[in-house]
Amino acid sequence: MAKEFCVPGKDVVQKVRQEFGLNEQRVKESVEALKNWLAMQPHLPEESGSLHEARLERWLIRCKNSMERTKQSIDLYYTLRSLSPEIMCDWNPRSKWFQDTAQICCFFPMPELTPEGDRVIIIKYLTKDTTNFLYEDQARMTLMTTEVRMCEDYCFTDILIVDMENFTLGHNSKMKFTSVKKGEVCFMKAFSTRMKALHIINAPSYAEVFLAITKAVFSSKLTSRIFVHGKDLTNFSKQVPRMCLPDDLGGTGGSLQENWDLWLKKVDSYHDWFLQHDNFKSDESKRQGGHFDSGELFGFDGSFRRLNVD
């Protein structure tokens, strides 16, 4: 039976903090410094409360206790909420788009950390029917999951597992390169995600198409951390502990659907916070020192066409 995702215990928190030269006092001082910095940025919104402080600490940890990198990531986060509202806004877990997308694909963290303190993330398309599939909605749901983790989770890095059992060329044909790139920037840079590995399992014969898109948007450093497995998961099972995998993938962590249902309840518990948070974004008209260059960030000028598959 699947376990409910819970905030890691004090031993995990202490271990993660120590890795980056932090303790309770230094965390408080750093969070206060970030709050003071935010208050002096006219283009950034003012947030408050315990969840806001919890997110600031996670940003600091994800940026390896670098204050400068943390500030850049936070600035980028609010800026992307203005530049990419189709992915970064309308985060309502009770909206129709969310409910529909939750039936099409899933993205959730397993409750058990690996012995090294890493978090395993499961990604899977739940159906081969692509009638109602929209990549932008998948990206939004992914980022909502990440946002909740920013409020509660502690870990060193993420191990992403993409199960392609139900992935079809129909899914791929509905993915715009610009949207995939924006999703990658939002996930990896705005949240400073630290990816230890990305395992693609149950890869079909046409997985090269998916890989080509993935490698096109990822940096060479991240591309080197991608591992592809076919139907034979023997090698894969040696790299990820069974307790960190759903039963469906040879693990002991409960069924994939049980874990997904529990995580959807977790996301829904943030409903009111998501609605309040939706208006927190940058005001680019107040940015000091010039305008933000979105073309440089995304690596394109917005003119990419939809990728077609022969």
Side-chain angles (χ1 to χ4, degrees), residues 65-300:
N65 195 18
S66 167
M67 189 64 71
E68 188 59 32
R69 285 180 56 192
T70 303
K71 291 176 181 178
Q72 292 173 355
S73 184
I74 293 172
D75 191 337
L76 179 59
Y77 167 86
Y78 288 115
T79 301
L80 286 171
R81 289 182 65 82
S82 294
L83 297 180
S84 303
E86 76 281 8
I87 293 178
M88 292 288 285
C89 293
D90 189 22
W91 288 359
N92 183 352
R94 298 178 188 175
S95 63
K96 187 178 185 304
W97 77 260
F98 184 92
Q99 297 296 323
D100 289 346
T101 305
Q103 300 300 315
I104 297 172
C105 55
C106 64
F107 181 100
F108 63 89
M110 292 297 291
E112 296 284 351
L113 290 171
T114 69
E116 294 76 25
D118 302 314
R119 182 70 66 190
V120 173
I121 311 296
I122 305 297
I123 307 158
K124 182 174 183 176
Y125 292 98
L126 303 174
T127 175
K128 294 183 179 180
D129 184 1
T130 61
T131 304
N132 298 316
F133 171 69
L134 289 174
Y135 173 78
E136 290 81 358
D137 288 346
Q138 177 191 349
R140 274 197 290 181
M141 188 174 70
T142 294
L143 296 173
M144 289 173 67
T145 296
T146 306
E147 189 75 84
V148 174
R149 289 184 60 211
M150 289 290 283
C151 297
E152 298 189 16
D153 199 9
Y154 272 92
C155 66
F156 288 108
T157 61
D158 289 352
I159 299 174
L160 278 63
I161 299 173
V162 180
D163 185 351
M164 297 188 71
E165 180 182 23
N166 294 319
F167 185 84
T168 69
L169 289 175
H171 289 101
N172 183 78
S173 66
K174 288 194 169 186
M175 292 182 178
K176 297 178 182 178
F177 184 90
T178 51
S179 296
V180 175
K181 180 60 180 178
K182 284 184 178 181
E184 184 268 340
V185 171
C186 293
F187 180 63
M188 298 301 300
K189 296 185 178 180
F191 286 104
S192 292
T193 300
R194 300 179 61 216
M195 188 182 82
K196 184 176 185 177
L198 190 160
H199 293 278
I200 299 175
I201 64 175
N202 292 316
S205 58
Y206 49 82
E208 291 83 1
V209 177
F210 177 82
L211 277 172
I213 296 176
T214 303
K215 290 181 179 180
V217 300
F218 277 10
S219 67
S220 58
K221 179 180 179 181
L222 293 178
T223 299
S224 67
R225 299 176 183 177
I226 298 176
F227 305 92
V228 183
H229 312 269
K231 298 295 183 181
D232 184 359
L233 301 182
T234 303
N235 187 47
F236 165 74
S237 62
K238 297 177 181 178
Q239 300 181 53
V240 183
R242 293 185 66 200
M243 65 180 181
C244 299
L245 291 172
D247 299 348
D248 317 54
L249 301 181
T252 59
S255 74
L256 184 145
Q257 192 61 54
E258 287 176 333
N259 278 282
W260 183 222
D261 289 342
L262 286 172
W263 187 257
L264 288 174
K265 291 181 180 179
K266 168 73 73 174
V267 174
D268 187 73
S269 70
Y270 279 77
H271 172 264
D272 293 346
W273 183 84
F274 275 128
L275 295 188
Q276 296 170 1
H277 188 71
D278 211 41
N279 292 321
F280 289 127
K281 58 188 71 173
S282 70
D283 183 346
E284 293 304 306
S285 66
K286 297 180 180 179
R287 180 182 290 275
Q288 297 177 336
H291 296 290
F292 190 87
D293 188 347
S294 60
E296 180 180 348
L297 173 66
F298 296 125
F300 54 77

